[in-house]
Amino acid sequence: RQRFYSKPEFIESQLPGRYISRSSKNNNKPILEFYDGAVHSRIQVPPKAYETIYCRREPMPVECAYRTLDFSKPMFEFDADHPDKSAFRVMVEPTHDGVVANVDIPEGSYIMAKDLSQSLLVPEASLGELSSSTGHLSLHGGTRSRVLEMGISELIRTAESAEASNVGCWFCPQQESQQRPKYSPVYDRHFASFDSFLVATKAISSGEELVRLV
């Protein structure tokens, strides 16, 4: 899976060594004349039709309920340019930094969706020794990449129990003891959203610190 989901330039560099010639007379002529890294990148993401057919199964796979955001839920954003209108503020304490709510936030609301939608997906190999302490591992099996969040969401304090937290990922199969299917076009098409978005797992009062479940 890691090679299959590699970037086009890597695929391009690997193809010549994996060609099988048609005959001894055509050793210099590749068997694939119209296949390169750019063409391969087009099949890495399944078409929408595959997802639609997959989600018609009974019972419907759980990830199919998360193909789009629930726009009936409110979204709360951080606004550095207008602190008086921002739903959050940064808290600086001697023991730790954190994020505090400026308003009451209902359970199920989206947390900093605008900032989190700009998260970066960086291969672990590029991070070197920082890979274990930077961001979190992507749900996209095969990429071995980590998600680096842009914004103050990185300052949210973490906890290992649901009772001690009030914020969690939008879709968390690992926290619900669910195994990823061997094939799921929903994961392949929406893994960036699954990696990034956060929701309030409990009602959060104004002045309360945000604590994320890990």
Side-chain angles (χ1 to χ4, degrees):
R1 289 181 67 93
Q2 189 169 1
R3 286 197 296 267
F4 181 83
Y5 287 108
S6 297
K7 293 185 177 180
E9 53 268 27
F10 177 81
I11 297 294
E12 196 86 30
S13 69
Q14 296 295 305
L15 282 175
R18 301 177 72 86
Y19 284 144
I20 301 175
S21 59
R22 296 169 182 167
S23 68
S24 58
K25 297 180 180 180
N26 296 319
N27 285 334
N28 295 325
K29 188 175 183 181
I31 192 171
L32 299 175
E33 298 183 17
F34 304 104
Y35 194 89
D36 56 15
V39 172
H40 181 83
S41 66
R42 295 173 58 187
I43 65 173
Q44 290 177 333
V45 180
K48 175 69 174 177
Y50 287 20
E51 177 188 275
T52 302
I53 294 173
Y54 174 83
C55 290
R56 288 176 179 170
R57 297 181 178 184
E58 294 184 359
M60 186 178 72
V62 64
E63 66 269 23
C64 292
Y66 296 87
R67 286 176 286 173
T68 61
L69 296 181
D70 183 355
F71 292 104
S72 66
K73 303 289 186 180
M75 296 186 180
F76 294 87
E77 304 289 351
F78 172 72
D79 190 341
D81 297 327
H82 304 90
D84 56 321
K85 297 181 180 179
S86 177
F88 308 98
R89 68 178 184 273
V90 176
M91 176 185 68
V92 180
E93 297 288 347
T95 55
H96 72 280
D97 297 337
V99 178
V100 175
N102 286 335
V103 296
D104 293 335
I105 300 176
E107 181 179 352
S109 302
Y110 294 101
I111 305 295
M112 303 180 207
K114 182 178 179 181
D115 287 347
L116 290 168
S117 66
Q118 302 176 48
S119 299
L120 300 178
L121 194 65
V122 181
E124 284 191 323
S126 301
L127 296 172
E129 295 180 356
L130 297 174
S131 62
S132 60
S133 59
T134 305
H136 59 272
L137 192 63
S138 171
L139 288 175
H140 195 328
T143 61
R144 294 302 303 174
S145 299
R146 299 192 74 84
V147 182
L148 306 185
E149 297 174 5
M150 300 290 104
I152 67 168
S153 59
E154 274 289 335
L155 300 177
I156 298 177
R157 188 161 57 88
T158 59
E160 295 184 355
S161 67
E163 293 75 15
S165 63
N166 52 23
V167 173
C169 52
W170 177 46
F171 177 61
C172 312
Q174 71 278 15
Q175 292 172 4
E176 298 175 7
S177 301
Q178 295 173 354
Q179 288 188 339
R180 174 175 175 163
K182 292 184 178 180
Y183 173 73
S184 172
V186 179
Y187 273 90
D188 290 340
R189 287 176 56 84
H190 302 284
F191 73 91
S193 297
F194 297 164
D195 283 338
S196 304
F197 291 127
L198 297 173
V199 296
T201 56
K202 301 175 183 176
I204 303 173
S205 302
S206 177
E208 185 178 352
E209 182 183 5
L210 273 63
V211 182
R212 183 196 309 208
L213 177 63
V214 295

